[in-house]
Amino acid sequence: MGSSYNKERFAETVKRDYWNRRTVRETYGLNKSVHEVLAQRAETKQLGHPTALELPLGGRFTESMTVGFLDLTDFTRRTFWDGQDEVVDLAHAVLSGFIEVVDSHGGYPLGLRGDGLFIGFGGNPGFASAMALAACAIAIDAIQSEVNPWLKDRDLEPIQARAGLDAGEITFVRTGNLEHSEINPLGFAANFAAKCEKKAKSWQIVVGEGLVSTLRDQSDFAHHPDSPKTYERYGERKYYRFYDFSWKRTLRNSDGVADALRGASTSSIITS
């Protein structure tokens, strides 16, 4: 992947993917897919947890993970104003950057969710959380400081991004029937990460207390104004807290971290 993964690398991926897609559209129209024209390899790596992809129908396994959603905000408004091809090309160019930054930090790009990416990091909980936060921080910083100036130079409206994360047990189940099935990740951490993502405004990372509890240093987290979330059943009431993450402080410590993994997943790293 080169000498170093940073926000410039993220931006270059987005720019390259965007122009590749635009070139294909202009050259071939809609009769030939981007994949057919640009494919460099005979086999494309499938999104998802590698163990889950091998599950039979009804098969399942559970793993403790840091999971989250990294997505574009206010993109629905853009789909109202802009042409469909331009919207699709830009959204998927950014999604290619999301996939790359997660993969480079040892995570699993688990699946696309409209204009966002569902992500997961396994292995040592603290290490997984740290790498997940670093990946999201680099992506958001790259969009804000590198991709948006490039869009403005081309008279294109800037984009916005956010992320929501939490940590806990996730069960992967192959759901469906013999003709049609898919992997369905289930668990409170995934559900709450989605809620955190909805609470996050543009340029924010919001996380659940499950993630915060995995880290020794919690100085970069502040209680969210709407925290805690209240859960009540049969007269019993419990509270679950969530936090704003000051992601800009982590950027100075992110250089070289992804490259030290050398393509390995956080699940494969043994930490003390």
Side-chain angles (χ1 to χ4, degrees):
M1 291 185 61
S3 58
S4 179
Y5 192 87
N6 51 30
K7 65 180 182 180
E8 289 80 13
R9 285 282 303 281
F10 180 98
E12 284 303 315
T13 294
V14 172
K15 296 174 189 178
R16 182 174 61 251
D17 190 275
Y18 177 79
W19 284 120
N20 282 343
R21 290 173 184 275
R22 299 300 292 176
T23 300
V24 168
R25 296 283 181 253
E26 293 169 3
T27 305
Y28 297 96
L30 299 177
N31 296 321
K32 206 172 186 66
S33 72
V34 174
H35 175 73
E36 288 179 288
V37 176
L38 300 176
Q40 300 295 317
R41 296 173 295 179
E43 184 176 345
T44 300
K45 191 175 181 180
Q46 188 173 351
L47 297 178
H49 193 296
T51 302
L53 296 176
E54 304 301 322
L55 287 173
L57 185 64
R60 67 182 65 187
F61 79 95
T62 299
E63 181 176 340
S64 292
M65 302 187 75
T66 296
V67 292
F69 296 88
L70 180 59
D71 80 343
L72 296 172
T73 51
D74 201 25
F75 211 72
T76 301
R77 183 178 60 84
R78 193 183 196 106
T79 62
F80 177 83
W81 289 107
D82 294 346
Q84 189 71 359
D85 285 344
E86 181 181 307
V87 168
V88 170
D89 290 341
L90 180 57
H92 283 273
V94 176
L95 288 171
S96 69
F98 285 169
I99 291 170
E100 181 183 74
V101 72
V102 169
D103 190 57
S104 72
H105 283 72
Y108 300 125
L110 295 176
L112 298 172
R113 301 291 187 269
D115 50 19
L117 180 69
F118 181 37
I119 65 177
F121 290 72
N124 177 277
F127 183 57
S129 292
M131 297 306 288
L133 291 169
C136 291
I138 287 178
I140 292 175
D141 183 46
I143 290 173
Q144 194 173 46
S145 63
E146 298 289 331
V147 175
N148 277 346
W150 172 74
L151 290 174
K152 288 180 180 179
D153 287 345
R154 285 149 186 80
D155 295 323
L156 295 173
E157 184 182 3
I159 55 178
Q160 303 168 63
R162 64 183 176 184
L165 301 141
D166 204 3
E169 289 194 337
I170 303 295
T171 298
F172 294 86
V173 185
R174 181 168 290 281
T175 305
N177 57 34
L178 293 176
E179 287 76 32
H180 305 281
S181 69
E182 66 178 10
I183 301 300
N184 191 14
L186 301 170
F188 177 78
N191 292 336
F192 201 79
K195 293 186 182 298
C196 288
E197 179 260 331
K198 298 303 180 187
K199 286 290 185 181
K201 298 178 181 179
S202 296
W203 316 121
Q204 286 186 334
I205 298 176
V206 175
V207 305
E209 69 174 61
L211 183 150
V212 176
S213 68
T214 68
L215 300 169
R216 295 177 183 174
D217 183 0
Q218 301 176 1
S219 60
D220 289 331
F221 300 92
H223 283 286
H224 190 280
D226 296 335
S227 177
K229 171 71 174 175
T230 304
Y231 291 97
E232 187 171 357
R233 185 173 65 175
Y234 304 139
E236 182 182 8
R237 181 177 297 175
K238 292 187 176 182
Y239 302 94
Y240 195 82
R241 300 187 181 280
F242 51 102
Y243 303 79
D244 289 317
F245 174 57
S246 299
W247 56 267
K248 290 186 178 180
R249 299 181 188 176
T250 70
L251 294 173
R252 61 179 178 270
N253 300 320
S254 297
D255 289 347
V257 174
D259 304 288
L261 287 169
R262 299 179 181 274
S265 70
T266 55
S267 297
S268 66
I269 303 298
I270 298 175
T271 58
S272 56

